[in-house]
Amino acid sequence: MSKPLIVQKFGGTSMGTIENIHTVAKHIISAKKSGNQLVVVVSAMSGETNRLMALAKQVDNVPTARELDVLLSAGEQMSMALLAMTLNKLGYPAVSLTGSQANIMTDNRHNDAAIQRIDTTRIYDLLALDKIVIVAGFQGVNTAGDITTLGRGGSDTTAVVLAGALSAAECQIFTDVDGVYTIDPRIVPTAQKLAVIDFPSMASMAQHGAKVLHLPSVHYAWTHQVPLRVLSTFDASPGEVYSGTLVKGNDCHQAICGFAIQSDMCLISMKRTALADVQKQCQMLGIMIWNVIERPEWVAIVIKQDVYTKLELVIESKISNSEPIGLVTAVGVQAEQLAKGCHQRLAEQGITVIDTVLNPLSITFVISPDSIDKAANILHHAYINSSDVANSQQKCIVVETI
Ligand code: ADP
Ligand code: ASP
Ligand code: MG
């Protein structure tokens, strides 16, 4: 009988120093000693992708998309080689592969490509030789043979898609927190760790800013039912039985399961007559519009701040104002019922809600960026920490399934 295969992914902080890479190696060795075959996906060392991006912007504020991918993919290439060297030195033969060497085929979109298929032959050949296979996250190759990248945070998606393609027993996302919390624990200290979160809730949290998992990785794991776990590189000793958070289940039954925060957004207002043209430009540039806010006097779109420069170049004359904003989103089957209560609680603390957006499993509040952390703490305290919502968390709402 062949050994079970596990895909482990280590993020930027986990790969951040040579010392941390040793900790990563210990996790891998421990899983290997337990009788598993290992395919390991790595991110660039923390700060490296930002450093490379800043270098590119020194050359050109809107760098050529193809060349940006060539540059950014170098971060993961450094990590994979350092980890493979570490394992080899420790006596555990490892081979590193770039996205292209691992045959991770993507579509042709640069900077935000989607994986279309993986030819796993080379990986299986290396596993058959008892090698630990290290794969660079966040990158692939398109039909022209050019390097593509999967969008910020994309190494999670590399890991999950590889786990699906290899029918792995589990995809383990090792990071700098010990699981998925009810809200970003770095912003709200009273955040609670979830033992399990269902796919739709996780997708909604990721979509609205919970960067602990890259959104396409959640969608892929959901569609292909990949066993997915989030756990800490640092809080558990290698080999210890650690559980983290299991992402599984196709239905959300929680009234409110958590909140997501997105602080790097931009509100661009314009005359009503300019909207259609701006929407068209966004589509042509591949810029996602998160929301359209319509008021009698103006209309505005919400986009990510980091794509604003790209858009500004082509629509500058149409913009009447642009300002940074943040979003706080509640996720759960009863999220939309929170509108009135949330507005009231935020208003009591002097926080104005610029706009509210309803989706089937979530409600988003558009807020000034200075108030985001405070708003997140207020709402989390009111609906997760306070006893009434501790109750509503317990309350299992039966969702009819067809
Ligand atoms: P990695 O480099 O390992 O991929 P990321 O920085 O991409 O790690 O994701 C981990 C971070 O996600 C955490 O440090 C935390 O600040 C943030 N985060 C946001 N929302 C959540 C949440 N609901 N649960 C856990 N972490 C969250
Ligand atoms: N290194 C890339 C980033 O910083 C990909 C990743 O970390 O998942 O976004
Ligand atoms: Mg990440």
Side-chain angles (χ1 to χ4, degrees), residues 9 11-12 175-177 179-181 183-186 205 210-212:
K9 178 254 169 178
T175 184
D176 54 7
V177 285
V180 179
Y181 280 70
I183 194 165
D184 189 338
R186 299 194 192 283
M205 298 268 281
K211 69 168 183 159
V212 63

Side-chain angles (χ1 to χ4, degrees), residues 25 29 81-96 131-132:
I29 291 168
L82 289 170
L83 179 58
M85 285 174 196
T86 307
L87 288 162
N88 286 333
K89 171 99 179 155
L90 292 169
Y92 290 84
V95 176
S96 68
K131 306 281 185 200
I132 297 168

Side-chain angles (χ1 to χ4, degrees), residues 269-329:
S269 32
M270 64 204 77
K271 286 198 184 127
R272 189 168 291 277
T273 47
L275 181 64
D277 192 30
V278 170
Q279 283 174 315
K280 197 165 139 209
Q281 293 292 349
C282 285
Q283 197 185 7
M284 276 163 50
L285 291 167
I287 292 175
M288 178 180 159
I289 298 180
W290 288 57
N291 187 28
V292 178
I293 301 176
E294 303 204 39
R295 290 281 161 80
E297 332 72 83
W298 48 262
V299 290
I301 58 166
V302 176
I303 60 168
K304 280 200 147 193
Q305 255 170 40
D306 60 4
V307 290
Y308 178 55
T309 334
K310 224 184 197 178
L311 185 64
E312 194 189 13
L313 285 178
V314 287
I315 61 157
E316 202 177 1
S317 60
K318 301 191 170 66
I319 300 173
S320 39
N321 189 34
S322 74
E323 55 179 311
I325 50 153
L327 312 173
V328 178
T329 300

Side-chain angles (χ1 to χ4, degrees), residues 99-138:
S100 165
Q101 289 172 317
N103 292 311
I104 298 177
M105 310 301 303
T106 73
D107 60 17
N108 289 322
R109 263 179 310 156
H110 281 290
N111 310 160
D112 193 22
I115 299 177
Q116 290 187 322
R117 69 183 179 85
I118 303 179
D119 177 349
T120 50
T121 318
R122 182 146 190 211
I123 294 178
Y124 277 128
D125 286 349
L126 289 166
L127 290 172
L129 296 171
D130 206 26
K131 306 281 185 200
I132 297 168
V133 182
I134 316 290
V135 180
F138 173 61

